């Protein structure tokens, strides 16, 4: 529904966020992260397991779900880790015990190198009726890299991460998905080869879905700067990769645009490209950036953007199309200013970009939880975090 520049759409869903709690609340907390998501028009987000303790048992998971029940403004759905302590190796978690308590299984940040271990994980996750949400990376091909192995890295003396480190493991995991019948959701794809592999897998009927993120669609290595705000994993890649990803969101190969919202402290992101922590924030900028630079430029329709940011994520994760709605003022023009973020994290390569579209109302499960651009909250703790 659109009226005088306002559009009311199904509330957004993000399949890939890092809310850092328990263990690293100085970077982000359930309270601050869910509040940022709520003010950005999200009803549901799915949290990665790189917290402390990792959600590798019911006991450790409860440390997270207790905080979610107390502090979350919206639906926050945790993934369990695939391996104990989220090591990417060693012993698998008790998949059968955890499966009914979590959205799926992921060792995000660590690709599982051992094919036998991944096969066993997929067999057990398939039998449990769950989904594996996998960060795909071949460790032996990383070679100490931290940005894309391309022209910028060579010109500026940086160590690069080759594209094969991503697509080679995607290739293996697609094969294992076909052999085991396990649903595979591939995280944050960034290369043209990854797009092609997933397109072919879907054509063959293999149960694979995938996501990319706004920074891979809107940025490329020619735009890199010597600043930690440009460091994420996988890295921003070539123009050819960017174009392939855009084609993938247009033709349906890519199912979801997630944010990989990964906040760090200012100090952790102040060490330049080589030494800064991997990860940027994105939950407060995703919709305005994509609306401004893809929809307003006629690269995507609004209907397709809604499918990528709301509808398809709900389908993959089995969320109902409930009474959750976000209203955006599409005529509001403003400059992205990290100092105004609700998130504790402020590191973004999009600082200073002009955008259109601000969330002005969020109706979560039929209740108005926030209204107007100043993020007036209707339902909870606003005066600092209760710790």
């Amino acid at each position: 529904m659109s009226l005088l520049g306002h559009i009311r759409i199904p509330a957004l869903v993000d399949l890939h966020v890092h809310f850092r709690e328990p263990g690293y609340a100085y970077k982000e907390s359930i309270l601050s992260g869910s509040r940022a998501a709520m003010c950005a028009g999200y009803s549901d987000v799915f949290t990665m397991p790189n917290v402390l303790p990792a959600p590798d048992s019911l006991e450790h998971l409860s440390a997270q779900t207790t905080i979610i029940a107390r502090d979350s403004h919206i639906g926050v759905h945790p993934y369990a880790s695939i391996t104990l302590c989220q090591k990417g190796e060693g012993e698998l978690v008790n998949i059968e015990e955890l499966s009914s308590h979590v959205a799926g299984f992921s060792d995000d940040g660590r690709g599982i190198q051992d094919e036998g271990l991944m096969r066993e994980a997929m067999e057990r996750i398939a039998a449990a009726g769950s989904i594996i949400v996998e960060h795909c990376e071949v460790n032996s091909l990383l070679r100490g890299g931290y940005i894309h192995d391309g022209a910028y890295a060579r010109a500026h003396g940086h160590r690069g991460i080759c594209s094969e480190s991503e697509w080679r493991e995607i290739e293996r995991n697609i094969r294992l998905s076909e052999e085991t019948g396990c649903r595979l959701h591939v995280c944050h794809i960034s290369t043209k080869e990854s797009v092609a592999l997933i397109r072919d897998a879907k054509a063959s009927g293999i149960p694979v879905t995938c996501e990319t993120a706004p920074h891979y669609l809107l940025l490329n290595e020619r735009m890199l700067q010597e600043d930690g705000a440009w460091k994420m994993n996988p890295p921003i890649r070539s123009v050819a990769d960017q174009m392939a990803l855009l084609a993938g969101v247009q033709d349906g190969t890519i199912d979801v645009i997630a944010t990989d919202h990964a906040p760090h402290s200012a100090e952790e992101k102040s060490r330049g490209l080589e030494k800064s922590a991997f990860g940027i924030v994105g939950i407060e900028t995703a919709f305005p950036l994509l609306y401004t630079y893809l929809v307003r430029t006629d690269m995507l329709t609004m209907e397709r953007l809604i499918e990528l940011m709301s509808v398809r994520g709900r389908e993959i994760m089995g969320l109902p199309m409930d009474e959750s709605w976000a209203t955006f003022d599409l005529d509001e023009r403003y400059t992205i200013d990290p100092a105004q973020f609700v998130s504790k994290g402020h590191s973004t390569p999009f600082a200073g970009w002009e955008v259109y579209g601000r969330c002005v109302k969020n109706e979560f499960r039929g209740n108005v939880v926030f209204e107007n651009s100043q993020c007036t909250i209707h339902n909870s703790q606003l005066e600092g975090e209760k710790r």
Side-chain angles (χ1 to χ4, degrees):
M1 180 180 72
S2 181
L3 179 65
L4 298 177
H6 285 60
I7 186 170
R8 184 172 181 254
I9 65 174
L12 308 179
V13 173
D14 195 336
L15 299 192
H16 192 143
V17 302
H18 301 263
F19 280 179
R20 307 298 194 195
E21 195 177 24
Y24 308 99
Y26 73 93
K27 299 173 186 272
E28 190 80 289
S29 65
I30 299 297
L31 183 62
S32 63
S34 67
R35 184 182 171 205
M38 178 184 65
C39 293
Y42 288 84
S43 65
D44 294 270
V45 298
F46 291 75
T47 56
M48 290 297 171
N50 50 348
V51 293
L52 190 65
D56 59 1
S57 66
L58 288 179
E59 178 185 2
H60 288 165
L61 176 66
S62 69
Q64 187 176 14
T65 55
T66 297
I67 300 170
I68 291 170
R70 184 188 68 200
D71 289 352
S72 177
H73 292 294
I74 59 169
V76 176
H77 310 276
Y79 297 117
S81 61
I82 299 169
T83 58
L84 291 181
C85 300
Q86 202 214 341
K87 290 181 177 180
E89 60 186 10
E91 187 177 347
L92 297 176
V93 301
N94 188 332
I95 290 165
E96 296 74 17
E97 182 178 65
L98 283 162
S99 61
S100 63
H101 299 273
V102 294
F105 294 84
S106 179
D107 266 0
D108 183 65
R110 294 180 174 88
I112 293 180
Q113 307 302 296
D114 182 82
E115 181 169 329
L117 188 66
M118 178 58 98
R119 182 187 299 278
E120 182 186 352
M122 284 194 172
E123 288 172 344
R124 291 171 60 184
I125 289 168
S130 192
I131 187 170
I132 196 161
V133 179
E134 187 59 356
H135 173 102
C136 294
E137 194 168 58
V138 178
N139 290 349
S140 63
L141 296 175
L142 297 179
R143 305 185 184 104
Y146 45 87
I147 63 171
H148 176 59
D149 186 16
Y152 187 94
R154 291 189 291 273
H156 294 82
H158 291 298
R159 293 188 299 278
I161 299 174
C162 67
S163 295
E164 187 179 1
S165 66
E166 173 179 302
W167 65 257
R168 184 64 70 185
E169 187 150 310
I170 291 176
E171 183 179 55
R172 183 204 71 180
N173 289 346
I174 287 172
R175 173 171 52 81
L176 292 176
S177 173
E178 181 178 28
E179 293 173 4
T180 63
C182 183
R183 289 193 298 144
L184 169 66
H185 181 76
V186 183
C187 294
H188 47 43
I189 67 169
S190 68
T191 76
K192 60 184 185 295
E193 294 90 352
S194 300
V195 177
L197 284 166
I198 291 165
R199 183 179 288 120
D200 289 347
K202 288 186 168 191
S204 299
I206 300 169
V208 58
T209 56
C210 72
E211 68 191 41
T212 194
H215 38 284
Y216 304 119
L217 296 170
L218 300 179
L219 304 175
N220 61 68
E221 66 169 339
R222 294 178 182 175
M223 306 163 76
L224 284 173
Q225 299 176 22
E226 294 292 314
D227 188 299
W230 293 79
K231 183 179 182 182
M232 66 286 295
N233 188 24
I236 294 165
R237 297 199 185 270
S238 71
V239 173
D241 293 310
Q242 180 190 15
M243 293 301 103
L245 292 164
L246 287 167
V249 298
Q250 290 167 336
D251 69 14
T253 299
I254 295 173
D255 299 89
V256 165
I257 299 176
T259 66
D260 195 3
H261 176 82
H264 295 285
S265 70
E267 193 280 328
E268 289 167 325
K269 293 299 289 182
S270 67
R271 307 168 190 163
L273 280 177
E274 180 178 1
K275 296 183 179 180
S276 289
F278 284 108
I280 60 171
V281 296
I283 209 161
E284 296 175 74
T285 59
F287 181 88
L289 282 167
L290 296 169
Y291 169 69
T292 302
Y293 294 99
L294 296 186
V295 176
R296 287 177 63 95
T297 59
D298 294 325
M299 296 186 73
L300 283 182
T301 65
M302 178 62 84
E303 290 75 17
R304 179 63 179 139
L305 184 62
I306 294 168
E307 184 177 14
L308 287 158
M309 295 194 73
S310 175
V311 176
R312 189 68 180 114
R314 293 177 188 275
E315 292 173 349
I316 291 168
M317 290 301 171
L319 290 178
M321 292 297 293
D322 58 16
E323 289 301 309
S324 294
W325 301 90
T327 301
F328 289 87
D329 181 352
L330 299 181
D331 290 335
E332 183 170 351
R333 179 181 178 182
Y334 59 100
T335 300
I336 292 174
D337 178 5
Q340 302 300 313
F341 288 169
V342 178
S343 169
K344 291 184 180 183
H346 291 173
S347 185
T348 172
F350 297 109
W353 283 44
E354 287 194 344
V355 293
Y356 290 85
R358 190 189 294 275
C359 184
V360 295
K361 188 176 184 179
N362 191 332
E363 302 162 69
F364 175 61
R365 312 287 195 260
N367 297 308
V368 176
V369 291
F370 127 76
E371 193 166 19
N372 81 38
S373 61
Q374 278 68 53
C375 199
T376 300
I377 295 177
H378 290 256
N379 74 337
S380 59
Q381 327 102 314
L382 252 206
E383 302 301 323
E385 298 189 20
K386 299 194 298 185
R387 292 289 181 268

